[in-house]
Amino acid sequence: MGSSNTTNPTVFSGIAAADDVKEPFRPLKPEDVRSYIHEAVDFICDYYTTVESMPVLPDVKPGYLQHEFMASPPTYPAPFHVTMKELKASIIPGMTHWASPNFFAFFPATNSAVAIAGDLIASAMNTVGFTWQAAPAATELEVLALNWLAQLLHLPDTFMSHTATGDRGTGGAVILGTTSEAMLVTLVAARDAALRRSGSVRVFGMPGLVVYAGDQTHSTFFKACRLAGFDPANIRSIPAGPETQYALDPAKLLEAMQADVDVGLVPTYVCATVGTTSSNAVDPVGAVADIAASFGAWVHVDAAYAGSACICPEFRHHLNGVELVDSISVSPHKWLLTCLDCTCLYVRDAHRLSDSMETNPEYLKNDATDSHEVTDLKDMQIGLGRRFRGLKLWMVMRTYGTAKLQEHIRSDVNMAKLFEGLVRTDHRFEVVVPRNFAMVCFRIKARGAITEEAADEVNRVLMKNPNKTGKAYFAHTVLSDRILLRFAVGSSLQEERHVRSAWELIKRTTNDLMMD
């Protein structure tokens, strides 16, 4: 009997032969692409069918997923259906379901069959359209889609790279990831312009530059200011109160800007908001722009959420005065059925933005760019690489048309009106600010033995207890030092019955609280 250490040459050669003919790794094997995507599509369809019955907020603890999966990546492959099984068993139970029709927190993150298809196709092509030459159709479709959206919003031609007659304009637009990016790039452009005006092109002039916004402006603005190099001491947060329905007061803005000029500082940038996060307040765009113009400051309009509503004639007046501002951003991924991420930034003078954002390394030089007949979108954003976001935006507008998009907006607004009416019929509640668009701010009011402080605590519990049930998800905010609930309608699957069901849940919770 031979030694156990003796190698069987026949077996060894057989293994070697098998290895020699083994099929190479092909990550885009057509049969796999078709099979995997079909399975993924089945999952997506089933998800949208069942998400209504899932808890909106998951009942998991921080770190739960570390106990579900291996600590180290696997060495050997697994069948795709095994991966999908683990997705369903471990990941889905830990998701907060923004797609749920019982989601009423924050602002909506809308989606549609067309947007999903567009995003899938863009991901499959995986183009990196930093220059026109790198992806001519991707660049031109993004420009076209942005021009279409600008027309839906009735933005002036000055924001378009090409006018209605086909002539090249001074404006420009780009699709970015989020409003934060739109704020950051325009802050940098405004900073550089102010430094040039003051005779300095170096950061030594930064301590003299000042930026302004109402205190209801989204917190990402103040973060973007710091990232752009503005001294935190020169970031003016102007208080807004119930007397203006929490909108920026032009008189207070003028007072603040003049006070800074009087001590030698340079007003540089003003951010106005159409649809603030806490209350959906609308800053007076025209009045703000008039004041800022007298100081030579850049004006940006953040219309991330509510800008989409302005495709409807009855809401367009909220953008009155936009022809006077320097930039405006709208996020169709919030309320225009175009999935995340899709923030559309428009600037009145594209060169002011590209002068600050432009990069021109030798390896990107080409005849198309040198001709100045094309737009290289890399020069209007922070990074170089970029996704083909224009495809899904174009597909949404092309497939649904203006009429269906307007119907979608109006349906959500009508459901919010319904909820507002239900709140007003219950004497225990108050609507804190007049409803704008599709969000209602309400609270259990202080009355009788319930002090303002006690009402705050009751309202906090009113939010937490329904959220714990998984049957709905609400969020809160603070206005004038008082806690209130925000009820944001807009999930793509929402119907009137979901709004009514949420109200019944709120009433039952309130009944229990009042009994306690």
Side-chain angles (χ1 to χ4, degrees):
M1 188 170 179
S3 167
S4 61
N5 293 327
T6 302
T7 302
N8 186 326
T10 304
V11 174
F12 182 83
S13 62
I15 294 173
D19 286 345
D20 288 342
V21 298
K22 185 176 65 175
E23 182 181 0
F25 176 47
R26 296 167 60 198
L28 284 176
K29 185 178 178 181
E31 303 94 292
D32 289 345
V33 172
R34 181 172 285 105
S35 173
Y36 297 173
I37 290 179
H38 280 177
E39 189 167 347
V41 168
D42 286 342
F43 165 79
I44 291 168
C45 293
D46 291 342
Y47 175 75
Y48 280 120
T49 302
T50 59
V51 68
E52 177 177 353
S53 63
M54 298 180 188
V56 188
L57 277 176
D59 184 20
V60 295
K61 304 297 182 185
Y64 90 98
L65 210 52
Q66 297 176 24
H67 304 291
E68 296 281 325
F69 294 145
M70 298 178 292
S72 301
T75 301
Y76 300 104
F80 184 68
H81 71 84
V82 172
T83 303
M84 290 298 294
K85 182 179 180 181
E86 292 180 355
L87 162 66
K88 297 171 186 176
S90 299
I91 297 174
I92 295 302
M95 293 296 295
T96 295
H97 296 292
W98 287 65
S100 171
N102 300 310
F103 184 101
F104 299 98
F106 310 117
F107 281 132
T110 56
N111 212 341
S112 62
V114 173
I116 294 170
D119 222 23
L120 174 62
I121 295 168
S123 294
M125 290 191 287
N126 205 27
T127 183
V128 186
F130 37 68
T131 63
W132 180 90
Q133 181 169 278
T139 298
E140 297 203 5
L141 187 63
E142 182 162 327
V143 172
L144 174 69
L146 287 164
N147 279 351
W148 278 12
L149 181 58
Q151 292 175 57
L152 291 185
L153 295 169
H154 293 283
L155 297 182
D157 285 350
T158 48
F159 285 105
M160 300 187 193
S161 58
H162 290 80
T163 65
T165 59
D167 297 329
R168 192 163 179 83
T170 60
V174 62
I175 301 180
L176 303 174
T178 65
T179 302
S180 308
E181 293 177 57
M183 289 176 174
L184 181 56
V185 297
T186 53
L187 278 162
V188 170
R191 176 199 71 190
D192 293 350
L195 289 174
R196 287 192 294 270
R197 286 199 312 271
S198 63
S200 172
V201 293
R202 309 186 71 178
V203 295
F204 301 126
M206 283 293 293
L209 305 185
V210 191
V211 296
Y212 308 82
D215 65 358
Q216 298 300 304
T217 301
H218 198 281
S219 59
T220 56
F221 169 72
F222 304 99
K223 178 179 180 179
C225 290
R226 296 194 299 273
L227 290 173
F230 288 93
D231 186 339
N234 288 351
I235 301 173
R236 306 284 182 257
S237 179
I238 300 173
E243 67 281 358
T244 60
Q245 296 180 10
Y246 297 96
L248 177 61
D249 185 344
K252 291 182 179 178
L253 174 64
L254 174 60
E255 181 182 357
M257 297 181 82
Q258 186 59 57
D260 285 330
V261 169
D262 290 344
V263 294
L265 298 175
V266 180
T268 301
Y269 186 103
V270 181
C271 183
T273 304
V274 175
T276 60
T277 300
S278 284
S279 68
N280 250 340
V282 177
D283 294 339
V285 173
V288 168
D290 281 337
I291 290 168
S294 63
F295 296 95
W298 182 296
V299 179
H300 175 72
V301 174
D302 168 16
Y305 160 70
S308 293
C310 296
I311 68 170
C312 299
E314 63 268 32
F315 296 114
R316 176 54 180 78
H317 66 279
H318 291 298
L319 292 181
N320 286 352
V322 71
E323 67 278 0
L324 304 174
V325 310
D326 297 280
S327 57
I328 176 173
S329 59
V330 179
S331 296
H333 62 240
K334 287 188 180 294
W335 203 11
L336 210 58
L337 301 178
T338 307
C339 54
L340 196 75
D341 50 357
C342 186
T343 289
C344 302
L345 171 65
Y346 295 88
V347 290
R348 195 150 49 99
D349 185 346
H351 289 296
R352 293 178 71 189
L353 184 59
S354 60
D355 285 350
S356 294
M357 296 290 122
E358 184 179 20
T359 55
N360 194 28
E362 187 63 34
Y363 57 82
L364 291 183
K365 292 180 180 178
N366 61 83
D367 291 342
T369 296
D370 292 342
S371 73
H372 300 294
E373 293 297 317
V374 301
T375 298
D376 285 342
L377 296 173
K378 69 176 177 61
D379 296 330
M380 300 180 73
Q381 62 177 30
I382 299 169
L384 182 66
R386 57 192 338 274
R387 299 182 66 241
F388 188 7
R389 300 185 186 100
L391 180 61
K392 62 185 175 184
L393 179 62
W394 171 78
M395 287 179 69
V396 165
M397 290 187 287
R398 180 67 185 88
T399 303
Y400 295 132
T402 304
K404 287 295 183 185
L405 295 174
Q406 290 175 336
E407 178 184 332
H408 155 69
I409 295 290
R410 288 167 176 150
S411 174
D412 287 348
V413 171
N414 286 336
M415 284 190 285
K417 288 180 178 178
L418 167 68
F419 183 81
E420 180 185 33
L422 293 171
V423 173
R424 292 189 184 279
T425 61
D426 192 319
H427 69 279
R428 297 171 297 180
F429 291 89
E430 62 179 332
V431 175
V432 179
V433 292
R435 178 199 49 78
N436 277 331
F437 311 109
M439 188 178 80
V440 180
C441 295
F442 71 104
R443 72 193 300 261
I444 294 176
K445 60 186 176 183
R447 61 188 183 89
I450 303 177
T451 64
E452 290 289 1
E453 291 72 21
D456 281 346
E457 184 55 32
V458 170
N459 280 289
R460 194 183 298 277
V461 176
L462 177 61
M463 176 194 67
K464 288 183 176 180
N465 285 3
N467 289 350
K468 290 177 183 177
T469 69
K471 295 179 180 179
Y473 184 22
F474 311 120
H476 79 286
T477 191
V478 174
L479 290 175
S480 298
D481 298 324
R482 298 273 76 93
I483 293 174
L484 56 94
L485 276 69
R486 299 166 67 260
F487 190 88
V489 176
S491 170
S492 301
L493 293 172
Q494 257 162 18
E495 300 174 6
E496 183 178 314
R497 62 189 176 88
H498 300 110
V499 173
R500 291 187 180 276
S501 177
W503 173 242
E504 290 302 317
L505 177 59
I506 289 169
K507 285 202 303 181
R508 289 196 302 271
T509 305
T510 303
N511 291 341
D512 293 341
L513 289 172
M514 294 305 188
M515 287 177 63
D516 292 342

